[in-house]
Amino acid sequence: METIDYALDEAAAINQRLREYKANKNKLEAIDESERSELQEVKDFYTYKRSKLEEDNERLKQELLGFIDTENGQTSVTTSMGNVQARTTKDSWKWGSKSTQQKVMKSLPSELTKTVTELDKAKIKEATTITDDGKVVLNDTGEIINGLSGVKGGQKQVVIRLDK
């Protein structure tokens, strides 16, 4: 009878801690959501304010451009407050996303593309070991790879899955 009571006490203690854990997790999720919402409101506010000022400055630039007689060769006007210049814009490129760029590279001559080499992370993980102090060592030679580091696994940790 005593072992049954002990098992029930232990189960009750575990359940009590799981309830606290779940409550804390729910509070953290609520905090995260509240933070995201408030940050978005702040970003929206400043985006609105910034766009209004930028639109006003664009209007002012166009009005200032009207004071320069470009048809008769005038390129700038100077007053006691400053100088306004009329300039011709250059081409502006829109390069697209990485996947769009990869598609474009297939249709371009090779002299218009670059070849970039990258680390093969999967092969590096197979061919190396992380030491206790975080150094990455080649398994075959024991050579330390400078520039790479890591955290050695194998530590015990708790994983909690709560029933919904």
Side-chain angles (χ1 to χ4, degrees):
M1 192 70 174
E2 190 173 308
T3 56
I4 293 174
D5 289 342
Y6 176 75
L8 290 174
D9 289 344
E10 187 177 69
I14 291 170
N15 284 338
Q16 186 263 337
R17 284 165 179 78
L18 284 173
R19 275 193 222 56
E20 287 181 39
Y21 179 86
K22 185 175 183 178
N24 288 344
K25 191 172 179 182
N26 289 341
K27 288 176 184 175
L28 285 170
E29 288 171 1
I31 287 170
D32 289 345
E33 181 55 37
S34 176
E35 181 182 27
R36 276 190 294 275
S37 173
E38 288 181 34
L39 286 174
Q40 190 58 49
E41 287 178 28
V42 170
K43 285 180 182 178
D44 290 346
F45 171 78
Y46 285 111
T47 298
Y48 172 77
K49 292 290 233 182
R50 186 172 283 115
S51 69
K52 286 294 182 193
L53 291 170
E54 288 170 351
E55 287 172 11
D56 195 37
N57 277 349
E58 284 303 314
R59 178 189 55 81
L60 291 169
K61 284 181 185 178
Q62 290 305 312
E63 290 175 7
L64 288 168
L65 185 59
F67 290 104
I68 302 172
D69 188 7
T70 56
E71 291 178 11
N72 292 319
Q74 188 179 21
T75 59
S76 68
V77 174
T78 302
T79 69
S80 61
M81 186 126 174
N83 177 275
V84 179
Q85 295 180 359
R87 292 189 178 169
T88 304
T89 62
K90 294 182 179 181
D91 294 343
S92 176
W93 295 85
K94 297 195 184 324
W95 299 106
S97 66
K98 287 249 187 220
S99 61
T100 301
Q101 290 178 28
Q102 288 175 345
K103 290 176 187 172
V104 170
M105 287 190 325
K106 292 176 184 174
S107 65
L108 288 173
S110 61
E111 62 268 10
L112 297 178
T113 62
K114 293 181 184 178
T115 302
V116 178
T117 56
E118 296 179 342
L119 295 176
D120 188 337
K121 294 174 184 173
K123 287 183 181 177
I124 291 173
K125 286 179 182 179
E126 287 178 20
T128 60
T129 303
I130 299 174
T131 63
D132 291 336
D133 61 353
K135 293 182 177 132
V136 177
V137 178
L138 280 173
N139 294 336
D140 293 342
T141 64
E143 178 185 352
I144 296 172
I145 302 175
N146 292 322
L148 294 182
S149 63
V151 176
K152 187 174 179 102
Q155 301 295 320
K156 297 286 184 206
Q157 66 180 29
V158 175
V159 177
I160 299 173
R161 292 188 189 97
L162 296 171
D163 295 333
K164 300 272 176 174

